[in-house]
Amino acid sequence: MPPARSQAKKQADNKKIRYGVVGLGHIAQVAVLPAFSHAENSELAALISDDPQKLERLGRRYKVKERYSYDQFDACLSSGVVDAVYIALPNHLHREYTERAARAGVHVLCEKPMAVTEEDCLAMIRAAEENRVKLMVAYRLHFEEANLKAIELVQGGRLGEPRLFNSVFTMQVKQGDIRLNPRELGGGPLYDIGVYCINAVRNLYGAEPMEVVAFSANNGDPRFEQCEETTSAILRFPGRERLASFTCSFNGADVSTFRVVGTEGELVMDPAYEYAGELKQWVTIKGRTRERTFPKRDQFTRADQFLRMHTDRCRT
Amino acid sequence: MPPARSQAKKQADNKKIRYGVVGLGHIAQVAVLPAFSHAENSELAALISDDPQKLERLGRRYKVKERYSYDQFDACLSSGVVDAVYIALPNHLHREYTERAARAGVHVLCEKPMAVTEEDCLAMIRAAEENRVKLMVAYRLHFEEANLKAIELVQGGRLGEPRLFNSVFTMQVKQGDIRLNPRELGGGPLYDIGVYCINAVRNLYGAEPMEVVAFSANNGDPRFEQCEETTSAILRFPGRERLASFTCSFNGADVSTFRVVGTEGELVMDPAYEYAGELKQWVTIKGRTRERTFPKRDQFTRADQFLRMHTDRCRT
């Protein structure tokens, strides 16, 4: 490679993608904003929120001068101060803000779940394609080591033929939490934590489900007036008919686990989806169990990795 | 209590119920026949099989002179040599032999599953009622200590309000095994091992399910030409809408586990349903886990207990 071109490439690599973070709630404060300090290819360039106090406080903490209200979102997009937005808004707003960013030619990294309906998701993909911007869902376990090792092990045939997946993900969510929003606004355990079970099996099987049945339940607690308390689902995958089942709930003690049973062995992750502590993996083959602990890591700093991946994609 | 009456009672207690064991396959040989040596209230009085060699071999081993072919079953029933029969026949024959025994005034202890269809089960119950004989399903975990402790703990409120049950029970079943019989003959994992999951949650919740959805799957292996390979189901229980889900399979590595998640804690049994080794229980409340091991016991000797219970019922 001629030195001149190499130099040009290096310069391009050094040009960081400037992100505007839209929505400054819990996930933005504990995860997204801190992650930028580790990001090699991205930088925090703007904050967008309707809460002037949050804008002031977080703007000062992260040294971000560009601050916008939601009304000023389009002005922010057209001002040229951001190349991409990280959407950390309530779930039902993901579509609208993605479409607006796309129309302005701004790339989108969107918190999970992608949106509230399949129609919304398809509209977001269409908007990104039509406006030639990148759209990616921010999902922390795409880059988490224990989960990646599990995928490698299952797809590598260590358990024989993987035949079933089973997962339980439960926690207690308190009254007033945004996750207890009405279902049409994306509230409830399926949107918030069920996505981890679904993504886990999609990645472990390397396939997409073709059929699903589910029950939702509600014990009548006032917390669950507007969304379900618990959802159990069974998914059927194509080909040699693998099954998967999972249960997610906002009214259970903390449980976060999945298992894959193959014709010759079993893999258990417990906890499987947490970010506050270590993750554990048990692999049992021919009656012998091997335990492996994955020390706690800041999975949100891994935002760096998906920001970088996003950045790389932006440059393709 | 006057001494005379006490004496009479003691004599009645000493009168053992004479059992005929019908069907001398695997379960009869490894479990039912050996259990009689520990039974205080029951004795092995007759063997019924179409295999003359089994009749000869097992008759000699267990010193049973009364031996009958299936054709001679009614003759056996009317001969007065048995008070009760233990039906260890293939699943689709449970109804017929129960009805024949009931009509002859002979009590029935029937291997699980009770029968192949709800219609069959109802007919068996009807036959027992009409002929005033006792009918009981032989289910080894009704009397198993770890399972009983789990029920006590869950119903005692230690986990808060129990909200969900989840179970996986899988094993490899080899070509030629009677459990791979066509589904209409009671083959497949649901009839053979799914019943453990269903009974576990019925007993843990102390309730009967009111709604169910299920998927069965088949990977195309020749073993599963006539029955399903795997079944996953979700059950909804009444009242405060508790859910339960389970997966059972004849094409997975050995897994035998259930968990109950309550609003304040979690109980895990693993293994939960085995009889070949110890059973383990983990109870986690407020993040603290207590592990308890239940040493291996001969659960089939517990047949003694259900024989006794049956006996007691026969005397009511």
Side-chain angles (χ1 to χ4, degrees):
Chain A
M1 194 185 281
R5 201 173 148 201
S6 172
Q7 187 65 22
K9 187 177 179 298
K10 206 172 171 192
Q11 272 182 346
D13 284 347
N14 285 341
K15 187 172 177 293
K16 291 191 173 182
I17 296 286
R18 297 162 302 159
Y19 270 83
V21 172
V22 193
L24 298 176
H26 179 77
I27 193 72
Q29 293 187 42
V30 306
V32 183
L33 298 179
F36 280 97
S37 68
H38 309 281
E40 292 171 15
N41 303 293
S42 310
E43 64 187 4
L44 181 57
L47 299 177
I48 299 98
S49 168
D50 254 7
D51 184 331
Q53 290 183 326
K54 280 186 190 169
L55 280 178
E56 169 66 18
R57 181 167 55 84
L58 297 168
R60 282 210 287 183
R61 183 183 306 164
Y62 293 100
K63 301 186 176 56
V64 180
K65 295 239 165 63
E66 299 288 338
R67 303 168 194 171
Y68 301 86
S69 70
Y70 294 139
D71 282 345
Q72 298 166 324
F73 182 57
D74 291 316
C76 168
L77 294 171
S78 59
S79 68
V81 301
V82 297
D83 305 304
V85 287
Y86 188 119
I87 297 179
L89 290 163
N91 300 337
H92 66 293
L93 298 175
H94 288 184
R95 172 181 174 174
E96 182 199 328
Y97 280 75
T98 295
E99 288 179 324
R100 286 164 69 180
R103 281 197 294 269
V106 169
H107 304 295
V108 176
L109 185 55
C110 181
E111 255 305 314
K112 59 88 196 160
M114 187 169 174
V116 177
T117 66
E118 186 187 7
E119 187 191 338
D120 285 351
C121 294
L122 292 173
M124 290 160 73
I125 294 167
R126 214 161 39 233
E129 285 174 349
E130 285 172 4
N131 294 285
R132 296 193 182 154
V133 300
K134 300 296 178 185
L135 167 62
M136 186 173 170
V137 178
Y139 180 68
R140 61 186 166 82
L141 297 181
H142 276 156
F143 305 99
E144 192 286 311
E145 192 188 356
N147 280 269
L148 290 176
K149 286 283 175 202
I151 294 165
E152 190 182 308
L153 189 140
V154 168
Q155 296 196 350
R158 286 285 305 287
L159 308 179
E161 184 185 338
R163 297 304 301 151
L164 60 99
F165 168 92
N166 179 255
S167 182
V168 175
F169 195 4
T170 59
M171 58 180 65
Q172 284 292 352
V173 171
K174 290 189 181 132
Q175 188 66 282
D177 193 302
I178 191 177
R179 293 177 294 174
L180 299 173
N181 260 351
R183 209 161 174 172
E184 59 273 23
L185 303 188
L190 185 60
Y191 286 113
D192 188 57
I193 55 178
V195 293
Y196 288 96
C197 310
I198 297 167
N199 274 342
V201 68
R202 288 173 62 228
N203 288 311
L204 287 159
Y205 283 177
E208 298 297 330
M210 58 180 190
E211 201 179 358
V212 62
V213 283
F215 276 172
S216 282
N218 198 318
N219 77 339
D221 188 304
R223 285 177 294 164
F224 308 114
E225 262 171 16
Q226 305 192 88
C227 68
E228 87 275 17
E229 172 202 354
T230 302
T231 292
S232 279
I234 310 171
L235 295 79
R236 189 197 305 277
F237 286 77
R240 290 167 64 88
E241 282 209 324
R242 284 164 294 186
L243 294 183
S245 59
F246 71 88
T247 300
C248 54
S249 178
F250 278 165
N251 192 25
D254 284 342
V255 178
S256 150
T257 184
F258 71 72
R259 67 174 8 102
V260 180
V261 183
T263 52
E264 294 165 25
E266 178 202 25
L267 165 91
V268 174
M269 289 266 295
D270 190 348
Y273 307 119
E274 296 300 332
Y275 60 85
E278 62 191 19
L279 301 182
K280 283 197 168 187
Q281 205 175 75
W282 286 265
V283 178
T284 305
I285 293 165
K286 294 192 205 308
R288 284 182 55 192
T289 301
R290 229 185 36 170
E291 182 181 335
R292 184 167 172 190
T293 300
F294 294 79
K296 178 185 169 179
R297 299 199 188 180
D298 183 355
Q299 295 177 12
F300 291 105
T301 303
R302 298 301 184 95
D304 176 23
Q305 298 201 7
F306 51 77
L307 291 172
R308 188 187 306 144
M309 175 182 275
H310 185 64
T311 301
D312 291 345
R313 286 191 185 182
C314 289
R315 284 175 185 153
T316 59
Chain B
M1 194 185 280
R5 200 175 150 201
S6 172
Q7 188 64 21
K9 188 178 177 297
K10 204 170 170 193
Q11 273 182 346
D13 284 348
N14 285 340
K15 186 173 178 293
K16 291 191 173 182
I17 296 285
R18 298 162 301 161
Y19 270 83
V21 172
V22 193
L24 298 176
H26 179 78
I27 193 74
Q29 294 187 42
V30 306
V32 183
L33 298 178
F36 280 96
S37 68
H38 310 281
E40 292 172 14
N41 302 294
S42 309
E43 64 187 5
L44 182 57
L47 298 178
I48 299 98
S49 167
D50 253 7
D51 184 331
Q53 290 183 327
K54 281 186 188 169
L55 280 178
E56 169 67 17
R57 182 167 55 86
L58 297 168
R60 283 210 287 184
R61 182 182 307 164
Y62 293 100
K63 300 186 177 56
V64 180
K65 294 241 164 62
E66 299 289 338
R67 304 169 194 170
Y68 301 86
S69 68
Y70 294 138
D71 282 344
Q72 299 166 322
F73 182 57
D74 292 317
C76 168
L77 294 171
S78 60
S79 68
V81 301
V82 296
D83 305 303
V85 287
Y86 189 120
I87 297 180
L89 290 162
N91 300 337
H92 66 292
L93 298 174
H94 289 184
R95 173 181 174 173
E96 181 198 329
Y97 280 75
T98 295
E99 288 179 325
R100 286 163 69 179
R103 280 198 294 270
V106 169
H107 305 295
V108 176
L109 185 54
C110 181
E111 255 304 316
K112 60 87 193 160
M114 187 170 174
V116 177
T117 66
E118 186 187 7
E119 187 191 339
D120 286 351
C121 295
L122 293 172
M124 291 161 72
I125 293 167
R126 213 160 43 232
E129 285 174 348
E130 286 172 3
N131 294 285
R132 296 189 181 155
V133 300
K134 299 295 178 185
L135 167 62
M136 185 174 172
V137 178
Y139 180 67
R140 61 186 166 83
L141 297 181
H142 276 156
F143 305 99
E144 191 285 311
E145 193 188 356
N147 281 269
L148 290 175
K149 285 284 174 201
I151 294 165
E152 191 183 308
L153 188 140
V154 168
Q155 296 196 351
R158 286 284 305 286
L159 308 179
E161 183 186 338
R163 295 306 300 151
L164 60 98
F165 167 92
N166 179 255
S167 182
V168 175
F169 196 2
T170 58
M171 57 181 64
Q172 283 292 353
V173 171
K174 290 190 180 131
Q175 188 67 280
D177 193 301
I178 192 178
R179 294 177 293 172
L180 298 174
N181 259 353
R183 210 161 172 171
E184 58 273 23
L185 304 187
L190 185 60
Y191 286 113
D192 187 57
I193 54 178
V195 294
Y196 288 96
C197 309
I198 296 167
N199 274 341
V201 67
R202 288 174 61 229
N203 288 311
L204 287 160
Y205 284 176
E208 298 297 330
M210 59 180 187
E211 200 179 359
V212 62
V213 283
F215 276 173
S216 283
N218 198 318
N219 77 340
D221 188 305
R223 285 178 295 165
F224 308 114
E225 261 171 16
Q226 305 192 87
C227 68
E228 87 274 17
E229 171 203 355
T230 302
T231 292
S232 279
I234 311 172
L235 295 79
R236 189 197 304 277
F237 286 77
R240 290 167 64 87
E241 282 209 326
R242 284 164 294 186
L243 293 183
S245 59
F246 71 87
T247 300
C248 54
S249 177
F250 278 167
N251 192 24
D254 284 342
V255 177
S256 149
T257 184
F258 71 71
R259 67 176 5 106
V260 180
V261 182
T263 51
E264 294 165 24
E266 178 202 27
L267 165 93
V268 175
M269 290 267 293
D270 190 349
Y273 308 119
E274 296 300 332
Y275 60 86
E278 61 190 20
L279 300 183
K280 284 198 168 187
Q281 208 175 71
W282 286 264
V283 177
T284 305
I285 294 165
K286 293 195 206 307
R288 283 182 54 191
T289 301
R290 229 185 36 170
E291 182 180 336
R292 184 168 172 189
T293 300
F294 295 78
K296 178 185 169 179
R297 298 199 189 181
D298 184 355
Q299 295 177 11
F300 291 106
T301 305
R302 297 301 183 96
D304 177 23
Q305 298 202 7
F306 53 76
L307 292 171
R308 187 188 306 144
M309 175 180 276
H310 185 64
T311 302
D312 292 345
R313 285 191 185 184
C314 290
R315 283 173 186 155
T316 60

